[in-house]
Amino acid sequence: MTHPPATPSAPSPIDRLALAVATEPERAVNPFMSAPSGAREEAMRFLLQTGAEAGVRMIATQPSGDGERLLGQAWPFPSPFRVTVRTVALSEGLDRVEARARRSLERLGLPRGEALLVDNAADLAGAEGRALWDRLQALKARGLFRSIGFCATIEDGPALLARRLEADVVQIACNLLDQRAAAEGVLDEIKSVGAEVHLSSVFAGGLLFAGGDDLPPHLADHAQALSRTRRRLAERRCDPMQAALAYVFSLETVDRVVASVASAAEMRAILAAAHAPCPDLNWSELALEAPAAFTADARIRISSAA
């Protein structure tokens, strides 16, 4: 008796989720800020274990702060995670960039990383850009990183840069409020040159969750538009986190969605929102009409991967 072939199950959104653990004061409540050392390590261990048990397999790191050391002391054993590392600024010098990338692996307690990303695409466009890229290629050739790439905003011309450098990975900001990278075909262009697409700033730097009184002065003009977006979501019974994740996971060209998380409780909230069914929404009507205005500080939000 023959049986029909099994229908493959749809991939879980968690398969595409990467975590950027926030250990700096980027949250109103952050267990890594005020707790004693032992408690901080335990909080990190609990967060990572929560993610691992849910199927998360990638962690995105940055060299600032104490995050790399905390991660290195808290990995579950055996660790299921692959790790992306970011460079320090080119202004610190080529030797410093290379040494700090190596140091990141040491602090993380890892023999190799999944990807090494230039923190600012503008560093690659300057006079020392080619020399910087050569350093990254050398680290990849030595087996310290499986792939290399860069972090960018839409203004950096990331697809052209990825094509010129033959980059393996491009991390770029895109979210429900600023959909330009998707709407203007930038994500498709990046993918077409053979690079993986990693999305950052998926929660719009926290703007989706901020009330009018919480907005910084230079964003006050957007209070009404943000309120309108939240009202539309409420009418469809879809909370902002659920909508933010549903939007980025709907983008087929995206390989990884980098979500910032500061605690196991936030981790559980992200997991629940990622799995929750979201009603059909008109994504374009939820975006800000002039997103460039609120993304003037996008580089900061890329750094926090929020």
Side-chain angles (χ1 to χ4, degrees):
M1 179 178 179
T2 60
H3 297 278
T7 302
S9 58
S12 165
I14 305 306
D15 295 339
R16 298 161 67 194
L17 183 65
L19 302 180
V21 182
T23 58
E24 300 304 309
E26 293 153 350
R27 297 286 193 278
V29 178
N30 190 322
F32 303 111
M33 287 304 299
S34 57
S37 177
R40 296 171 75 215
E41 293 168 9
E42 185 58 30
M44 179 69 82
R45 191 171 292 109
F46 186 35
L47 189 162
L48 291 174
Q49 191 63 46
T50 301
E53 290 174 356
V56 178
R57 293 296 178 260
M58 183 169 285
I59 303 292
T61 72
Q62 55 183 338
S64 61
D66 203 28
E68 292 175 337
R69 184 191 65 81
L70 280 170
L71 285 165
Q73 294 175 341
W75 297 123
F77 182 81
S79 174
F81 297 112
R82 293 176 289 159
V83 178
T84 67
V85 171
R86 299 239 291 274
T87 67
V88 295
L90 180 58
S91 59
E92 297 189 28
L94 286 168
D95 290 343
R96 169 66 175 160
V97 170
E98 179 177 342
R100 190 61 184 82
R102 293 174 178 272
R103 177 62 176 154
S104 289
L105 292 180
E106 292 175 6
R107 285 164 60 87
L108 290 162
L110 300 173
R112 69 185 57 83
E114 177 64 26
L116 177 60
L117 306 178
V118 174
D119 185 61
N120 187 339
D123 283 347
L124 292 166
E128 290 189 290
R130 175 50 68 177
L132 171 60
W133 191 250
D134 288 344
R135 294 289 185 109
L136 268 64
Q137 287 182 313
L139 291 172
K140 177 183 175 182
R142 294 188 187 107
L144 294 180
F145 295 93
R146 293 186 178 89
S147 57
I148 55 177
F150 56 87
C151 302
T153 65
I154 191 171
E155 291 81 7
D156 292 317
L160 290 175
L161 188 59
R163 182 186 300 276
R164 177 167 65 84
L165 297 174
E166 298 182 342
D168 301 312
V169 180
V170 175
Q171 181 170 303
I172 184 169
C174 185
N175 55 67
L176 189 63
L177 299 180
D178 182 3
Q179 302 175 18
R180 291 175 298 160
E184 298 176 15
V186 175
L187 302 183
D188 291 334
E189 291 174 10
I190 294 170
K191 192 70 173 178
S192 72
V193 303
E196 283 193 7
V197 177
H198 293 194
L199 289 196
S200 63
S201 193
V202 297
F203 297 134
L207 289 182
L208 276 167
F209 317 121
D213 294 338
D214 300 324
L215 295 176
H218 71 286
L219 297 176
D221 291 343
H222 292 290
Q224 186 174 355
L226 288 168
S227 177
R228 184 170 58 249
T229 293
R230 283 193 291 270
R231 184 173 64 253
R232 285 171 172 165
L233 292 176
E235 289 170 352
R236 301 302 303 274
R237 299 185 179 182
C238 186
D239 69 62
M241 180 179 286
Q242 183 184 352
L245 291 173
Y247 169 68
V248 292
F249 283 126
S250 76
L251 303 173
E252 295 182 359
T253 54
V254 172
D255 296 284
R256 293 288 174 178
V257 168
V258 184
S260 183
V261 59
S263 67
E266 282 191 5
M267 177 78 261
R268 289 191 293 271
I270 288 172
L271 292 170
H275 282 298
C278 191
D280 289 334
L281 296 169
N282 184 337
W283 298 124
S284 61
E285 74 175 13
L286 299 173
L288 293 187
E289 292 182 3
F294 90 88
T295 54
D297 59 343
R299 191 71 63 190
I300 297 174
R301 286 197 296 278
I302 287 177
S303 296
S304 66

